Amino acid sequence: MDLWERARAFAGEAAKKSQELSAEAAKRSSALVSETAKKSKEIFSETATKSREIAAEATKQADLLAGQIKRLSTDLPVPSIPAIPPIPSAVAPEPDAEELERYGITEDLREFVKGMTISTFRDFPLQDEPEMSDVPTVSNVRQDLNEWQARHATLVLSAVKEISKFRYELCPRYMKERKFWRIYFLLVNNYTSLYENKYFEELKKKAEEEKKDAKKEVSETSQATTAEQKDIKAQSKTSTSTNPEHDLDVFLLGDLGSDDEGPDGDDGGLDDDFDKIDGGSGLESDDDDKEKSAGKVESAKE
């Protein structure tokens, strides 16, 4: 019985201590929360005060800087800025009516194309041909077309929207580029063949004219060269005939005649003439003068 009383007393005392500890903990927690709130309020108030001071200082500095910039802008002359020209558009210019007509893009062709559909190309009875080589594609047009067809295809893609739409939907999903253009030119052959033949006839005629002009230019150049050579020869003959040394020789020796006037090597008569001239003139050579002078000296010694 005493043990039970003691246990009961101990439990009551423990409960009392627990209540006291709980009350103390609650009191301390309340005090701590109150202290924390107070500190937080103080920190917040101080932070707000600092922020207002910083904002006021920044505003003051900004106003000063704005005033300085305004004064500088009024002092400095403002240069005139030239007008910027408009940037040209990157879109390719529309082809003129003359070019469209030259490459067969007429109103009749447009009306015929309007009657085409996707099935017109897709169901056309044409077998796919194996390509012999990898032909490049430039400006959305394959380069296995001839010159006129390539330009026609480029123009028709920009001028006739139906063809551009058909090509976009069919190539390369249903057919290759090569097959698409073969079918197209077979379909519109009655509308384009006349313009294509006319184009190549004009090219052929132009090539023949250029060939004739080239031959004419070569002939004129050759004639001018021949005339210059003749002038050079004539000048050479004139300079030779007016040579003063040649004229002096002719004057002193006389016209002895050409080689055709007598037999070759017949110089005996000429030598005889010179001998006669020497004998008849009474002139003596230097050797004869020396001999006579030596004889006179010997006579004087004797």
Side-chain angles (χ1 to χ4, degrees):
M1 198 65 185
D2 293 334
L3 182 61
W4 174 255
E5 290 292 336
R6 288 179 182 178
R8 186 176 180 181
F10 181 75
E13 189 176 353
K16 185 178 180 181
K17 288 290 186 182
S18 178
Q19 290 177 356
E20 292 177 355
L21 290 174
S22 298
E24 185 67 21
K27 184 178 180 181
R28 290 184 178 182
S29 297
S30 178
L32 183 60
V33 169
S34 178
E35 186 70 18
T36 303
K38 184 178 179 181
K39 290 291 185 182
S40 299
K41 187 176 180 180
E42 292 176 355
I43 294 172
F44 178 77
S45 177
E46 186 176 356
T47 303
T49 303
K50 290 290 185 181
S51 299
R52 286 193 295 270
E53 292 176 356
I54 293 173
E57 185 67 22
T59 304
K60 183 179 179 181
Q61 294 294 333
D63 292 339
L64 292 175
L65 183 60
Q68 293 176 358
I69 293 173
K70 186 176 181 180
R71 285 194 299 273
L72 291 174
S73 62
T74 54
D75 295 339
L76 294 176
V78 179
S80 59
I81 301 175
I84 301 175
I87 300 174
S89 176
V91 180
E94 290 291 334
D96 55 8
E98 183 178 354
E99 186 178 16
L100 293 176
E101 180 74 18
R102 185 183 185 191
Y103 288 95
I105 303 176
T106 60
E107 290 299 326
D108 293 337
L109 177 70
R110 294 174 188 268
E111 291 296 328
F112 177 73
V113 168
K114 288 180 180 179
M116 296 181 182
T117 62
I118 294 293
S119 300
T120 305
F121 287 86
R122 193 165 52 189
D123 300 337
F124 192 87
L126 182 66
Q127 296 293 331
D128 290 331
E129 293 184 0
E131 297 188 11
M132 301 302 294
S133 61
D134 188 11
V135 182
T137 300
V138 179
S139 301
N140 296 331
V141 177
R142 287 181 60 83
Q143 297 305 295
D144 52 2
L145 305 176
N146 63 39
E147 182 180 351
W148 186 91
Q149 290 175 343
R151 183 56 182 166
H152 173 91
T154 302
L155 292 175
V156 81
L157 285 174
S158 60
V160 184
K161 302 303 180 184
E162 290 82 0
I163 297 300
S164 179
K165 180 181 178 182
F166 293 157
R167 180 185 168 276
Y168 176 77
E169 294 182 0
L170 291 171
C171 300
R173 185 181 303 172
Y174 295 102
M175 64 180 63
K176 295 181 180 179
E177 188 88 12
R178 176 187 178 89
K179 183 178 180 181
F180 174 82
W181 288 114
R182 286 187 62 210
I183 293 173
Y184 169 79
F185 282 110
L186 288 173
L187 290 172
V188 301
N189 182 64
N190 294 335
Y191 299 91
T192 60
S193 58
L194 178 64
Y195 297 95
E196 184 176 358
N197 294 335
K198 182 180 178 182
Y199 175 83
F200 284 108
E201 287 176 359
E202 291 177 354
L203 285 184
K204 184 178 179 181
K205 184 178 180 181
K206 184 177 179 181
E208 291 177 354
E209 292 178 354
E210 290 178 353
K211 188 176 180 180
K212 290 180 181 179
D213 294 339
K215 288 183 178 179
K216 184 178 179 181
E217 185 178 354
V218 171
S219 177
E220 292 177 353
T221 304
S222 177
Q223 292 177 0
T225 304
T226 304
E228 290 178 0
Q229 291 177 352
K230 289 181 178 180
D231 293 340
I232 293 172
K233 290 181 179 180
Q235 293 175 2
S236 177
K237 289 180 179 180
T238 304
S239 62
T240 302
S241 62
T242 57
N243 191 346
E245 295 181 358
H246 176 73
D247 294 341
L248 181 62
D249 293 339
V250 172
F251 176 76
L252 294 176
L253 298 178
D255 188 4
L256 301 179
S258 62
D259 295 339
D260 296 336
E261 295 177 356
D264 295 339
D266 190 11
D267 296 334
L270 184 62
D271 293 338
D272 294 339
D273 293 337
F274 276 112
D275 292 339
K276 290 178 181 181
I277 292 172
D278 293 338
S281 62
L283 298 176
E284 295 179 352
S285 63
D286 294 338
D287 294 336
D288 294 338
D289 294 338
K290 290 180 180 180
E291 290 178 356
K292 291 180 179 181
S293 299
K296 290 180 179 181
V297 171
E298 290 177 358
S299 298
K301 288 181 178 181
E302 292 176 356

